Amino acid sequence: MTEVADASSNRLSRAKPGQTTIWDVAQAAGVSIATVSRAFSRPGKVSAATLRRVHDAAERLGYRTETITHRSREDDELRGLISIVVTDLENPISAQYARGVQQYCMEKNYGLMVNDTEEDPSAELAIIKRSLNHVDGVILDSTRMPDTAIRKLAQIKPVVVLNRVVSGVTSVTFDCAPSLRTAIGVFAKLGHRSISYLCGPDNSWQNGVRRNTILTTCQRLGLTCRLLPCAYPLEGNAAAAFAAFMERPTTAVIAFNDAIAVEFIRFLESHGVGVPQQISVMGIDDIPMGRAITPALSTISFPRRDMGHAAAKIVIDRLLHIAPVDAPAVASIGERGNGNVNADRDDNGGDVVPLHFESSFVQRDSIAAINPLIAAGIG
């Protein structure tokens, strides 16, 4: 006997033999069961193209929509509040993302709840669950949650992921690979033949992208690349990572972010190692601290406020049905931050091709041509 999902309560009811079920409609339309439920109970939450596919499949199969119960009026009402979940509000990166989100919230008279996980991945899901009944949508900044958990969350509320790509969920990120390749090319032209990468957390999506880009670019240019242990967060990881570098130093170092790079420069100077006279160092993020230190930090810059603004626009426009259902929800973002607006859509009407913003390599005083006499003793 076939089991039929009750979309309003997640209970299972029995279908008569030969009776068409929601499962059959979903399979025929090529969408999820949740999408079929929304197509009949909340059609405004589904793109026009998907709505047509679901209705055509239901009519063709003779599906009766009585099996889907509408949500209560109270549950359908908007709260006028969205949430951004950040890894560390004291980090300028998180703060600037939140500022960008807040800007669009103010434009649309929406409230913003800011939740700080304090770099504790185990607390992230609990924080989200506590706030879920109070908000209409969620923006996840550099989330460490598994993809499966994020996709489940996106079935409950509109979700946008910042600084990471999750299949099937709207993502807003920046493309650091071209800028990293440019930076490594500059190192090569300056005579560097060996580069170390001070890694970020293993569960960071951006860390994986950066590590792979550095490895493949070094291999292509014939440079030696050394991966060092995770140095972030600094309080618990920097000392071991920096000590590992000193055991077998290289003439150039790329850090997972600017915060690590700044601390690493201080570490080198405290050990009598000159930057960039002996070792060249660069970070990623372009935070104010990197511009204020001596030597000024070379880095990769990207438009964080524009990215936060874009994420908020996607969530709120979807909630308010502002964006045309058959057009990318971020069609006007490109003018703000060079975003790629050729976004595809998932079966719920959400963008599944990530919205990418451009990055740029910023060369400052922390990198220089190697001194052959010094380099001979380093590698």
Side-chain angles (χ1 to χ4, degrees):
M1 189 174 290
T2 307
E3 292 183 330
V4 183
D6 183 333
S8 64
S9 64
N10 292 325
R11 293 189 300 270
L12 294 175
S13 59
R14 298 288 178 180
K16 297 176 181 178
Q19 179 180 336
T20 301
T21 70
I22 190 174
W23 300 84
D24 301 321
V25 176
Q27 186 174 15
V31 298
S32 67
I33 295 168
T35 299
V36 176
S37 172
R38 274 190 288 271
F40 288 107
S41 63
R42 308 181 74 187
K45 296 292 185 182
V46 182
S47 72
T50 300
L51 199 60
R52 284 193 296 270
R53 293 209 313 272
V54 171
H55 282 183
D56 288 348
E59 184 176 353
R60 188 169 65 251
L61 296 173
Y63 177 66
R64 299 201 313 272
T65 61
E66 302 93 276
T67 54
I68 297 180
T69 306
H70 286 263
R71 296 184 183 187
S72 68
R73 177 176 177 82
E74 180 182 355
D75 197 42
D76 280 342
E77 290 179 350
L78 297 178
R79 278 77 169 172
L81 185 70
I82 66 171
S83 167
I84 181 171
V85 183
V86 301
T87 55
D88 182 4
L89 198 54
E90 292 184 351
N91 187 318
I93 308 304
S94 296
Q96 289 176 3
Y97 281 139
R99 283 283 181 88
V101 171
Q102 179 178 269
Q103 182 182 6
Y104 195 72
C105 286
M106 292 175 66
E107 291 175 20
K108 297 301 177 185
N109 197 30
Y110 239 81
L112 177 64
M113 176 190 295
V114 181
N115 291 302
D116 184 358
T117 67
E118 298 184 19
E119 291 287 356
D120 183 0
S122 63
E124 187 173 13
L125 187 57
I127 289 172
I128 292 170
K129 285 181 177 178
R130 282 197 297 270
S131 65
L132 212 53
N133 289 334
H134 306 288
V135 300
D136 300 322
V138 181
I139 297 172
L140 301 173
D141 163 29
S142 305
T143 176
R144 308 286 199 254
M145 288 197 303
D147 286 8
T148 52
I150 297 171
R151 282 192 284 267
K152 287 180 181 178
L153 176 62
Q155 292 178 352
I156 302 170
K157 300 278 183 176
V159 171
V160 173
V161 180
L162 265 172
N163 212 21
R164 173 176 166 181
V165 174
V166 178
S167 175
V169 180
T170 310
S171 303
V172 177
T173 186
F174 72 99
D175 190 359
C176 69
S179 298
L180 272 173
R181 288 192 285 266
T182 297
I184 295 170
V186 170
F187 280 126
K189 289 179 181 178
L190 292 172
H192 295 276
R193 309 307 302 168
S194 59
I195 296 176
S196 291
Y197 174 53
L198 280 163
C199 293
D202 288 338
N203 56 2
S204 164
W205 182 85
Q206 280 287 354
N207 179 63
V209 172
R210 296 169 192 183
R211 181 189 61 230
N212 293 341
T213 301
I214 292 168
L215 284 170
T216 56
T217 305
C218 285
Q219 183 179 25
R220 180 174 57 83
L221 296 177
L223 308 181
T224 299
C225 181
R226 183 184 178 205
L227 298 179
L228 295 170
C230 172
Y232 192 82
L234 292 165
E235 292 77 9
N237 299 299
F242 297 170
F245 171 82
M246 295 300 287
E247 293 174 2
R248 194 155 49 93
T250 57
T251 62
V253 174
I254 300 174
F256 168 70
N257 61 22
D258 282 0
I260 295 173
V262 168
E263 197 64 27
F264 183 62
I265 289 174
R266 291 172 175 163
F267 169 84
L268 291 176
E269 291 177 343
S270 70
H271 286 73
V273 179
V275 176
Q277 298 87 354
Q278 294 173 272
I279 295 174
S280 291
V281 179
M282 69 165 281
I284 298 172
D285 283 342
D286 196 18
I287 62 175
M289 185 189 303
R291 298 190 291 272
I293 67 166
T294 302
L297 183 65
S298 297
T299 189
I300 290 174
S301 180
F302 56 97
R304 290 179 288 276
R305 288 200 185 190
D306 286 346
M307 290 169 61
H309 187 280
K313 177 174 174 59
I314 294 168
V315 171
I316 295 175
D317 286 9
R318 190 175 297 166
L319 291 166
L320 300 181
H321 308 290
I322 293 175
V325 292
D326 286 329
V330 291
S332 63
I333 301 298
E335 297 178 359
R336 292 179 52 84
N338 297 320
N340 170 15
V341 298
N342 296 319
D344 195 5
R345 289 185 169 272
D346 66 10
D347 58 19
N348 301 325
D351 305 316
V352 293
V353 173
L355 174 61
H356 284 297
F357 283 76
E358 295 178 358
S359 64
S360 58
F361 171 56
V362 183
Q363 185 173 348
R364 299 195 181 106
D365 297 337
S366 65
I367 66 174
I370 65 170
N371 182 321
L373 296 178
I374 295 174
I378 295 179

